[in-house]
Amino acid sequence: MSMIVRRSPLRTAGKYAAIGFYLIFALFPIYWLIKIALTPDALIYTEGTRMLPSALTFDNFAAVLQSDFLGYFTNSLIVSLGAAAGTTLIAAAAGYCFSRFRFAGKRAIIALLLVTQMFPLLMIIAPIYKIVAGLGLLNSLVSLIVVYTAFNIPFATFLMQSFFDGIPEDLEEAAMMDGCTRFQALRKVVFPLTLPGLGATLGFVFTAAWSELLFALMLISRNDSMTFPVGLLTFVSKFSVDWGQMMAAGTLALIPSCLFFIFIQRYLVQGLTSGAVKG
Amino acid sequence: MRSARKNVVPGADRARRSFYLRYLLEPYLYVGPALVLIGAVILFPLILGISYSFQSIALLKPFETGWVGFENYAALWQDDKFWTAIGNTALWTCGSLFFQFFLGLGLALLLNTSFRGKRLFQALVFLPWAVPTFLTALTFAWLFNPVIGPFPHWLAGLGLIDEPYNILGDPDLAMWGPILANIWFGVPFFAITLLAALQSIPSELYEAAEIDGASDWQRFSKITLPFLAPMIVITVMLRTIWIANFADMIYVMTGGGPAGSTEILSSYVFTTAFRKLDFGYASAIAVALLLILLAYALILLVVRQKLVRT
């Protein structure tokens, strides 16, 4: 497609204008977030709408690092990593199953997974609260990990399936001919080839769990088990004046999910593409 | 080779039979954990939630618990806030979807060409997707702040509004705040999905069209669009449902206010459950939302079927 050489200068200009538009559109809010975090408190009101602050400070970050936010950060890390690991493991197994087996009930199970993607998840927020409260697990990070894992399994399963579909079946069949069990073949032959897929799934679930707010608000009320979003919102309502610190905390929250995302976004396109080619 | 494996199953002798049993059970070993978890954490609560909508379950009134039949639904019918929320849900969903889709399509088309620094560009423009929702909401709330946010000042500078004022506090305009934030957040999703579909179009088609002297527009309308159409229908349908269910942005930015002017059904479900702790009523709203979305999906699927047939 890129072989067309003759291009009018007008079109090239239009293309670069579009590139510029999308860059500004995507980056401006992020820039603003970081800018506020670096602006000294005294200047936030006087220089509110200036593009560049006249002075920079790291005081907000220093203040945040000494507050409860480190605890929220740790809680969020535990929950997100736990959910990401759990989901990836379970979804990889299910995705492998969809990719390699034909069995009774397969279509029904796939339909079931699709249905879970369609109905309002908030519908189960009240029942989940009651169940978790009944189990005495309110304010426990374990309940959040289990809930997030379940929520992300359907999408992660389809993602993993598309990665497994991209790996020729002959590879493990050859290994099974040579006397491996299916599980051994999976572990020794297929697993190394799906590492990018596993990475993408991990990153996807991590990002999703990292930003989940409403269920965490419902299930967590004790300060020492709050995740980052809950902590930040409580922060807003408690000290609504200190925007600089809040944005500094926000900037810190941005780091892990953006790191993960930059790593995974290529694989996400890849995974979706191979899925699209197949079906 | 799937068919080859099937031939291994004559099932006559005993050794073969145990092999056959394992062969039958093996898939369920792999898919089992996923099924158990989804059953326990999503499907069971879902059924429970539907049953709540026929009960009176408010944590603040613990002595009035019990089955009440359709009382919650009757109350819903009388509830002005509910009807406003339906209208708001439509505006929120259509407004977000329209711009997300067209900006996403533009971005996907752009990413399907080649230019210098494309990989960096792709990573950067997809970044909004990685920004946690609550953070997007807080940042946009800040950007709309009448004193220190740039948006009201820009709009005033352009002469669109008389003076920088609190747009999020204006019942007529407030919804566009969360919608803008949602557009920003959702463009990468559409771009990624549509890009994946674009890349699956065989390039021979374009080359053939090129040789036959087709114009750019002809290539877009005769090759690209027909190939994308099925993907577009499915993506738009799934995304509509997802956006209609997406309450975080509104909850953080406006909390449904001012005066309920940004309350959509899903944020109404959440505030009823979380602030009022009235689980029965919250579940009734949720069931209503579910029915509306089901009707929407059915209509869209029927229309698609008709289009495919003709």
Side-chain angles (χ1 to χ4, degrees):
Chain A
M1 272 166 281
S2 52
M3 278 183 288
I4 317 134
V5 189
R6 48 185 172 81
R7 279 238 171 85
S8 69
L10 202 68
R11 282 198 49 183
T12 321
K15 187 168 153 182
Y16 282 98
I19 291 176
F21 164 76
Y22 278 110
L23 271 182
I24 294 172
F25 179 71
L27 295 182
F28 178 73
I30 301 177
Y31 164 73
W32 207 258
L33 168 70
I34 298 171
K35 192 205 95 165
I36 303 291
L38 290 172
T39 308
D41 280 349
L43 296 180
I44 281 192
Y45 285 91
T46 52
E47 293 187 357
T49 54
R50 267 179 57 160
M51 287 310 272
L52 285 170
S54 58
L56 293 179
T57 173
F58 284 94
D59 289 354
N60 290 326
F61 288 93
V64 163
L65 289 179
Q66 282 162 6
S67 65
D68 288 346
F69 273 99
L70 271 187
Y72 303 153
F73 211 79
T74 321
N75 288 337
S76 260
L77 266 183
I78 295 172
V79 169
S80 306
L81 287 175
T87 308
T88 308
L89 198 68
I90 295 172
Y96 180 76
C97 175
F98 288 157
S99 172
R100 295 297 199 257
F101 295 106
R102 285 206 298 189
F103 55 95
K106 180 174 168 181
R107 291 187 63 164
I109 294 175
I110 290 181
L112 193 76
L113 291 195
L114 280 178
V115 167
T116 62
Q117 296 292 285
M118 318 251 304
F119 77 85
L121 270 184
L122 280 177
M123 213 173 150
I124 61 174
I125 201 166
I128 291 261
Y129 177 85
K130 277 238 161 194
I131 294 171
V132 170
L135 294 171
L137 285 175
L138 284 180
N139 288 315
S140 106
L141 298 179
V142 177
S143 65
L144 280 187
I145 294 180
V146 173
V147 168
Y148 293 168
T149 303
F151 286 176
N152 285 298
I153 280 178
F155 182 80
T157 300
F158 294 125
L159 195 65
M160 281 312 298
Q161 183 195 353
S162 81
F163 279 104
F164 282 119
D165 283 345
I167 298 169
E169 232 174 302
D170 308 352
L171 283 177
E172 35 194 311
E173 265 164 21
M176 283 157 78
M177 289 292 188
D178 291 346
C180 279
T181 63
R182 178 177 282 280
F183 188 70
Q184 281 171 331
L186 180 60
R187 197 163 53 93
K188 289 180 182 156
V189 181
V190 182
F191 175 71
L193 292 172
T194 24
L195 281 180
L198 292 171
T201 312
L202 265 177
F204 180 85
V205 181
F206 181 91
T207 323
W210 186 257
S211 62
E212 207 287 331
L213 169 68
L214 300 182
F215 278 80
L217 267 178
M218 194 83 191
L219 297 179
I220 305 283
S221 55
R222 228 178 42 211
N223 194 43
D224 60 351
S225 40
M226 279 182 185
T227 56
F228 207 92
V230 183
L232 198 60
L233 269 201
T234 327
F235 188 82
V236 175
S237 40
K238 248 194 279 183
F239 323 90
S240 54
V241 273
D242 208 336
W243 286 89
Q245 278 192 33
M246 199 186 84
M247 292 304 196
T251 310
L252 292 178
L254 210 56
I255 297 170
S257 60
C258 283
L259 280 183
F260 255 110
F261 190 74
I262 288 175
F263 164 71
I264 64 165
Q265 50 96 8
R266 257 180 328 132
Y267 299 118
L268 269 182
V269 178
Q270 235 176 48
L272 286 167
T273 318
S274 52
V277 172
K278 279 219 78 173
Chain B
M1 297 307 255
R2 283 182 177 141
S3 54
R5 204 191 298 132
K6 232 182 175 179
N7 293 336
V8 185
V9 195
D13 71 70
R14 271 189 136 185
R16 280 279 162 86
R17 188 167 295 166
S18 84
F19 178 79
Y20 185 52
L21 197 69
R22 260 194 65 190
Y23 169 75
L24 268 183
L25 283 179
E26 203 177 8
Y28 295 101
L29 289 180
Y30 287 94
V31 81
L35 277 183
V36 170
L37 209 57
I38 287 174
V41 182
I42 299 182
L43 295 179
F44 173 63
L46 178 63
I47 294 163
L48 212 57
I50 294 174
S51 81
Y52 281 3
S53 72
F54 298 102
Q55 299 175 49
S56 162
I57 305 186
L59 293 196
L60 299 179
K61 297 182 223 159
F63 301 112
E64 293 170 29
T65 308
W67 294 91
V68 293
F70 284 89
E71 219 169 81
N72 286 323
Y73 291 97
L76 204 56
W77 192 261
Q78 305 280 328
D79 184 354
D80 288 339
K81 217 175 156 188
F82 170 70
W83 295 105
T84 323
I86 290 186
N88 288 339
T89 307
L91 173 65
W92 156 255
T93 310
C94 298
S96 307
L97 195 74
F98 180 83
F99 290 104
Q100 280 184 3
F101 174 75
F102 282 102
L103 287 171
L105 181 64
L107 185 55
L109 289 170
L110 197 61
L111 283 170
N112 203 34
T113 63
S114 57
F115 52 88
R116 278 185 61 182
K118 188 174 118 180
R119 276 176 60 177
L120 180 66
F121 175 72
Q122 179 173 320
L124 289 177
V125 289
F126 285 172
L127 216 49
W129 201 18
V131 177
T133 323
F134 63 96
L135 214 53
T136 307
L138 286 176
T139 309
F140 273 83
W142 173 277
L143 290 170
F144 274 106
N145 186 301
V147 183
I148 43 186
F151 286 173
H153 288 269
W154 290 352
L155 289 175
L158 288 171
L160 291 173
I161 53 178
D162 297 333
E163 49 167 356
Y165 74 111
N166 189 4
I167 296 172
L168 296 182
D170 175 352
D172 293 329
L173 288 176
M175 185 57 106
W176 289 97
I179 288 181
L180 184 70
N182 194 24
I183 294 169
W184 183 77
F185 166 75
V187 166
F189 170 84
F190 267 105
I192 289 185
T193 338
L194 293 173
L195 179 63
L198 277 175
Q199 288 179 346
S200 68
I201 302 176
S203 59
E204 295 88 5
L205 286 176
Y206 289 104
E207 284 154 24
E210 179 84 352
I211 292 167
D212 291 344
S215 70
D216 283 341
W217 172 248
Q218 280 174 323
R219 269 182 284 149
F220 179 72
S221 60
K222 303 277 182 213
I223 302 176
T224 313
L225 267 189
F227 259 93
L228 285 187
M231 188 71 173
I232 289 176
V233 173
I234 291 292
T235 315
V236 166
M237 187 183 93
L238 288 177
R239 211 51 189 176
T240 312
I241 293 172
W242 193 89
I243 294 174
N245 290 334
F246 182 46
D248 303 39
M249 209 69 95
I250 285 178
Y251 180 75
V252 177
M253 279 183 80
T254 65
S261 62
T262 58
E263 192 82 281
I264 60 169
L265 285 174
S266 56
S267 67
Y268 195 20
V269 173
F270 183 72
T271 39
T272 310
F274 179 64
R275 294 235 177 277
K276 295 192 185 146
L277 295 171
D278 188 342
F279 290 173
Y281 198 60
S283 296
I285 307 170
V287 170
L289 173 59
L290 178 68
L291 292 177
I292 292 173
L293 293 176
L294 267 182
Y296 164 79
L298 278 180
I299 291 171
L300 209 68
L301 286 177
V302 169
V303 169
R304 181 167 178 259
Q305 202 94 55
K306 283 232 169 91
L307 282 179
V308 168
R309 236 178 257 156
T310 48

